[in-house]
Amino acid sequence: MTTPDPLQLACPQCNAINRVPAAKVGDAPACGRCRSRLFPGAPFVLGAAGFDAHAQRSDLPLLVDFWAPWCGPCRTMAPAYAQAAALLEPRVRLAKVDTEAEPALGARFAIRSIPTLALFLRGRELARQAGALPLQAIVQWTRQHLPS
């Protein structure tokens, strides 16, 4: 995958677009607006208001877990998904979309079953996987679908 330098990265807290030199992505960069860490080491909550900043305007792949609080398999997969952030960041950003709180996003992406993982890069969906996965399967599936 060829990436521009500097990279555009949306902040997981305020959704501001930050320009970060590619060589500094691994150095725990902070948001220029709110000073939050751009890579929190855990999946961040993503809503409709910030979705496009992360999925379309950011230069790094975004892995999204579409889930709901009442979903047993979603709750079962949540710890593994959280652990995957430590293994995939800073090459991939990880977010969670609660389809109950954000039904428009579920409808926009035709989410028919949960949990569903979807991998995005610059506005394009690269891959989708329905069903709960263990940690290693999440990491392997994600890496398998990243552009080279």
Side-chain angles (χ1 to χ4, degrees), residues 1-63:
M1 171 174 81
T2 59
T3 54
D5 197 325
L7 299 174
Q8 289 193 122
L9 302 174
C11 174
Q13 290 296 314
C14 71
N15 301 318
I17 301 296
N18 291 264
R19 294 170 55 90
V20 178
K24 301 282 186 182
V25 168
D27 296 343
C31 176
R33 179 187 292 166
C34 73
R35 300 290 176 221
S36 295
R37 290 179 53 197
L38 294 178
F39 296 97
F44 60 94
V45 175
L46 188 54
F51 193 90
D52 289 340
H54 292 273
Q56 293 183 0
R57 296 186 57 207
S58 288
D59 291 323
L60 290 180
L62 174 70
L63 180 61

Side-chain angles (χ1 to χ4, degrees), residues 107-119:
R108 176 178 168 188
F109 294 103
I111 302 300
R112 300 286 180 245
S113 64
I114 52 174
T116 291
L117 297 178
L119 184 63

Side-chain angles (χ1 to χ4, degrees), residues 132-146:
L133 297 174
L135 172 62
Q136 288 307 318
I138 294 169
V139 171
Q140 180 180 12
W141 178 85
T142 304
R143 288 180 176 158
Q144 169 187 336
H145 290 95
L146 291 175

Side-chain angles (χ1 to χ4, degrees), residues 61-83:
L62 174 70
L63 180 61
V64 178
D65 173 18
F66 290 92
W67 72 288
W70 52 262
C71 168
C74 298
R75 290 192 316 269
T76 299
M77 186 176 81
Y81 190 71
Q83 291 173 320

Side-chain angles (χ1 to χ4, degrees), residues 91-143:
R91 185 154 185 230
V92 179
R93 318 283 309 278
L94 280 78
K96 294 180 73 69
V97 171
D98 177 350
T99 57
E100 289 288 301
E102 300 287 346
L105 283 175
R108 176 178 168 188
F109 294 103
I111 302 300
R112 300 286 180 245
S113 64
I114 52 174
T116 291
L117 297 178
L119 184 63
F120 297 91
L121 179 60
R122 295 185 192 107
R124 202 173 110 239
E125 184 176 325
L126 302 177
R128 182 181 292 218
Q129 170 69 45
L133 297 174
L135 172 62
Q136 288 307 318
I138 294 169
V139 171
Q140 180 180 12
W141 178 85
T142 304
R143 288 180 176 158

